[in-house]
Amino acid sequence: MVKKGDKLVCPHCKEMTFVKQITEMDGWTKKGEILVCALCNGKIADVQQENEQEEKQDKLSALSALLGGETIEKPEVSLNQSDRRFCKDCKFAIRNAFVIRCELSGSVVEAMDDCEKFQKR
Ligand SMILES: [Zn+2]
């Protein structure tokens, strides 16, 4: 794989050259890093290495989000369940097939909303 600083014969100008890395621009938009010939600026390759690293980081952060999500979410639900003032458990909640409506405000609420006017049924 071609990388920055490599010496090679350029496919464009056929000269012995070395590879330099530049930012490819499309007008004012940064398209990405590419490898070009230092003599003629002809494009030799995309910067593969960087893409692979980004992909790896995505996977890692997805994994840590998964792990972090599990460790953070689980205790929150189980610990606070008893003192949550969920609208679904409130005596002012009027349930029908699709929504829960609050008797006090008259507006539709989410089951897991909590409210300071909560009163346990
Ligand atoms: Zn060249």
Side-chain angles (χ1 to χ4, degrees), residues 3 6 27 47 57 64 68-69 74 81 84-85 92 108 115 119 121:
K3 59 182 187 301
D6 277 0
V47 180
Q57 276 174 349
S64 68
K74 268 187 184 169
Q81 215 160 27
R84 274 296 178 96
R85 299 147 156 250
F92 298 116
V108 174
C115 174
Q119 285 197 33
R121 290 193 282 195

Side-chain angles (χ1 to χ4, degrees), residues 2-71:
V2 185
K3 59 182 187 301
K4 185 169 60 175
D6 277 0
K7 281 202 165 114
L8 49 75
V9 177
C10 172
H12 304 285
C13 62
K14 315 292 184 199
E15 296 288 335
M16 193 64 188
T17 183
F18 68 92
V19 178
K20 69 173 184 178
Q21 185 172 329
I22 62 158
T23 302
E24 191 180 27
M25 300 293 288
D26 182 12
W28 294 104
T29 313
K30 187 180 169 182
K31 284 175 74 179
E33 301 283 306
I34 56 166
L35 298 171
V36 298
C37 167
L39 296 175
C40 71
N41 283 325
K43 181 177 172 180
I44 294 168
D46 292 309
V47 180
Q48 295 295 341
Q49 221 173 352
E50 201 168 337
N51 292 341
E52 277 170 27
Q53 273 174 357
E54 272 174 31
E55 206 175 303
K56 216 179 270 180
Q57 276 174 349
D58 280 352
K59 275 177 194 161
L60 275 177
S61 63
L63 188 70
S64 68
L66 198 71
L67 292 173
E70 252 187 329
T71 50

Side-chain angles (χ1 to χ4, degrees), residues 69-84:
E70 252 187 329
T71 50
I72 293 164
E73 266 177 46
K74 268 187 184 169
E76 200 192 353
V77 172
S78 57
L79 285 175
N80 297 336
Q81 215 160 27
S82 56
D83 50 45
R84 274 296 178 96

